[in-house]
Amino acid sequence: MYIEQNISRLKYLLELYSLTVEELSEKISKGLKNPITQKELFSKKIKLSHLKKVDSFFNKGLHFYLDPKAPEKSKEASVFFRKENFNSKLNFGARKIVTEFEEFKISLSAISKLADLKTDRILSIYNTKDNPKFVAEELRKILHPGYSSDLKEFLKSLIEKFAAFNILVFEFVETWNKKEKANIDGFFLNPNVIVLKRQQKAFRREIFTLVHELGHFLLNEEEIDFLDYQQISKNDFSKIEKWCNDFAYFFLAGDVANELNKIQKADSTNDYHFETIEDISKRTHLSQIALFTRLLYEKKLSANDYSKIKTDLFEKYQEKLEKEKINQELDTEKGIKQRGATPQPIKSPLLISTIQTAFYEGVLNEYEVCKRLNIKPEKLEKYIS
């Protein structure tokens, strides 16, 4: 069976995801005896089975390709049309995640307008000439929720604080069996959206990413980031990235930064100040590797010693994961059920209040509320009662 498609829509997706026709053909032809040719893909009338293969890759719904209206390629539609280069070389998984949240952001903006909600920027816009330490000290006064030994609760509290200043934070969760995981940690989209990759076993990394992206928000500079400590340690990045990294460090360290600053040199003679670093990490929500990276960045630790420490910390982390795996297997043998449910993203109070107001104003119905909040119908009453 053949069906008439709007070829301009397929071309739009290829440009959006930075894919060539050859790459798409190769990806959707896996497992097929007769590969789908480029000519077949760009034929005005395409086999329905081929179009379904295309959509299994893009997940836009068949109606998208059949719509006779040409898609609008505009700066408002996607960050990929607003900006050409990013700090990370993005894979398809990353571009797909960014596009999903860009579309959700646009949809939420329309809902806010219909519900007559004000989401104007509250915080000032800074630039890289502003001292990131001073800015961090000022922002800590209003955005830092205070210390918590529970990393997840601290992250949740940060997201709640950001919401009070009209900064909308989302998490995305990737399951273990996803074919192509996004090679990013987080990103900032104008005017007020920050998206984070859920780091279930590395909340300190996620917390640092959140505050780093807050830095991008403060500078009003969109970016998609992968947290590369090696790059940070070498100071191998732009002025904007340097500012955001410094801001994140001082925001999370607070007055404790003075203790790290007192360290003049870290080497084998003083055991690299491991005990001090461990203590500071616990009190600031900064990871140990982030603190050692800071020492290297300030030339208080040699590159060779840093490499050894990084390897040692990684090996200890892997050992911890292996022990957890063994304990889970032992529990399974004993008949103890595992709580292996997929982590649920933290919902920003700003998202919830926006959807609630839209519902009360008649902009959204119950089905749409469940869809926007990604909840089951039986949990609806919790959000709109």
Side-chain angles (χ1 to χ4, degrees):
M1 178 180 177
Y2 286 82
I3 192 168
E4 192 169 323
Q5 68 167 328
N6 183 345
I7 298 173
S8 68
R9 289 188 160 257
L10 181 57
K11 289 180 178 179
Y12 171 86
L13 291 176
L14 289 173
E15 185 173 356
L16 183 65
Y17 291 109
S18 191
L19 286 170
T20 64
V21 189
E22 294 83 358
E23 288 171 330
L24 176 62
S25 177
E26 182 183 348
K27 287 178 181 293
I28 65 175
S29 294
K30 286 182 179 178
L32 297 180
K33 186 177 180 181
N34 298 311
I36 301 171
T37 66
Q38 297 173 40
K39 185 178 180 181
E40 287 174 316
L41 281 175
F42 277 102
S43 174
K44 191 172 183 182
K45 287 192 175 182
I46 186 174
K47 278 186 178 181
L48 180 58
S49 59
H50 289 176
L51 193 58
K52 286 181 176 178
K53 276 283 187 181
V54 171
D55 191 54
S56 68
F57 189 68
F58 291 114
N59 295 318
K60 302 296 290 185
L62 291 179
H63 64 279
F64 176 86
Y65 314 91
L66 309 181
D67 191 333
K69 183 181 177 182
E72 184 180 354
K73 179 191 167 184
S74 66
K75 291 183 177 181
E76 290 74 26
S78 174
V79 67
F80 298 125
F81 297 144
R82 295 192 293 273
K83 188 172 180 178
E84 292 183 3
N85 300 312
F86 300 91
N87 287 326
S88 306
K89 186 176 180 181
L90 310 177
N91 62 13
F92 177 76
R95 285 181 172 267
K96 197 168 183 180
I97 286 291
V98 172
T99 299
E100 286 175 6
F101 279 100
E102 183 91 66
E103 291 173 351
F104 189 52
K105 179 199 76 171
I106 294 169
S107 172
L108 203 60
S109 177
I111 290 170
S112 297
K113 288 178 182 177
L114 288 171
D116 198 26
L117 288 168
K118 303 298 181 185
T119 56
D120 297 339
R121 185 184 183 110
I122 297 174
L123 298 176
S124 301
I125 293 177
Y126 297 85
N127 62 61
T128 53
K129 292 180 181 179
D130 293 308
N131 188 313
K133 184 176 185 294
F134 295 160
V135 177
E137 288 171 352
E138 287 302 308
L139 270 293
R140 269 181 66 91
K141 296 173 185 176
I142 57 174
L143 291 179
H144 197 286
Y147 176 78
S148 172
S149 59
D150 188 319
L151 292 171
K152 183 180 177 182
E153 281 302 312
F154 178 75
L155 175 63
K156 185 178 178 182
S157 297
L158 270 178
I159 292 173
E160 289 173 353
K161 282 280 189 179
F162 287 16
F165 288 84
N166 285 345
I167 304 170
L168 186 56
V169 180
F170 294 102
E171 281 187 309
F172 69 91
V173 177
E174 292 191 309
T175 55
W176 64 271
N177 58 346
K178 186 177 180 182
K179 290 182 179 179
E180 186 174 15
K181 290 182 169 58
N183 62 339
I184 54 175
D185 287 306
F187 51 96
F188 163 61
L189 298 174
N190 278 328
N192 67 332
V193 172
I194 293 174
V195 181
L196 305 169
K197 182 176 183 177
R198 178 62 168 271
Q199 306 282 1
Q200 186 66 11
K201 295 184 181 296
F203 276 114
R204 282 186 171 84
R205 184 185 182 100
E206 186 175 351
I207 289 166
F208 189 91
T209 301
L210 173 55
V211 184
H212 175 98
E213 299 308 325
L214 173 63
H216 281 291
F217 167 80
L218 295 173
L219 297 177
N220 203 32
E221 291 282 352
E222 290 183 299
E223 191 53 82
I224 304 170
D225 290 297
F226 173 74
L227 186 58
D228 186 349
Y229 285 117
Q230 196 66 34
Q231 187 184 40
I232 295 173
S233 66
K234 292 179 179 178
N235 197 9
D236 184 23
F237 36 63
S238 67
K239 286 183 179 179
I240 291 174
E241 286 303 297
K242 180 181 184 304
W243 195 95
C244 292
N245 283 329
D246 287 345
F247 169 80
Y249 167 73
F250 288 114
F251 181 94
L252 291 171
D255 292 337
V256 183
N258 295 327
E259 296 179 31
L260 192 73
N261 194 47
K262 289 177 182 177
I263 295 176
Q264 295 302 311
K265 187 177 181 181
D267 57 25
S268 58
T269 63
N270 49 43
D271 195 28
Y272 307 101
H273 297 280
F274 260 111
E275 288 187 5
T276 301
I277 295 298
E278 187 176 22
D279 178 60
I280 292 175
S281 175
K282 289 177 181 178
R283 290 188 286 134
T284 62
H285 307 103
L286 285 160
S287 67
Q288 291 183 51
I289 188 60
L291 292 168
F292 278 116
T293 301
R294 192 75 197 178
L295 289 177
L296 175 64
Y297 174 71
E298 294 177 350
K299 295 181 171 41
K300 296 178 178 181
L301 178 68
S302 73
N304 187 46
D305 284 340
Y306 175 78
S307 180
K308 291 177 182 177
I309 291 169
K310 187 178 178 183
T311 300
D312 182 56
L313 289 173
F314 177 75
E315 288 176 352
K316 286 180 180 178
Y317 175 70
Q318 291 299 113
E319 287 175 8
K320 180 184 175 183
L321 294 182
E322 187 61 31
K323 285 180 181 179
E324 289 178 357
K325 183 181 177 182
I326 293 171
N327 289 334
Q328 287 175 354
E329 290 172 351
L330 290 173
D331 287 343
T332 300
E333 290 176 6
K334 294 175 183 178
I336 301 173
K337 291 185 178 180
Q338 299 294 319
R339 289 168 33 177
T342 302
Q344 294 302 305
I346 297 170
K347 291 181 176 62
S348 168
L350 182 56
L351 171 65
I352 294 171
S353 64
T354 300
I355 298 301
Q356 285 175 332
T357 303
F359 174 76
Y360 299 140
E361 293 293 325
V363 176
L364 298 178
N365 59 33
E366 292 183 353
Y367 168 78
E368 289 168 326
V369 171
C370 292
K371 183 180 178 182
R372 305 283 177 179
L373 293 179
N374 193 25
I375 58 172
K376 294 179 180 179
E378 54 265 31
K379 292 189 176 182
L380 180 63
E381 190 175 340
K382 175 184 175 182
Y383 292 94
I384 62 173
S385 60

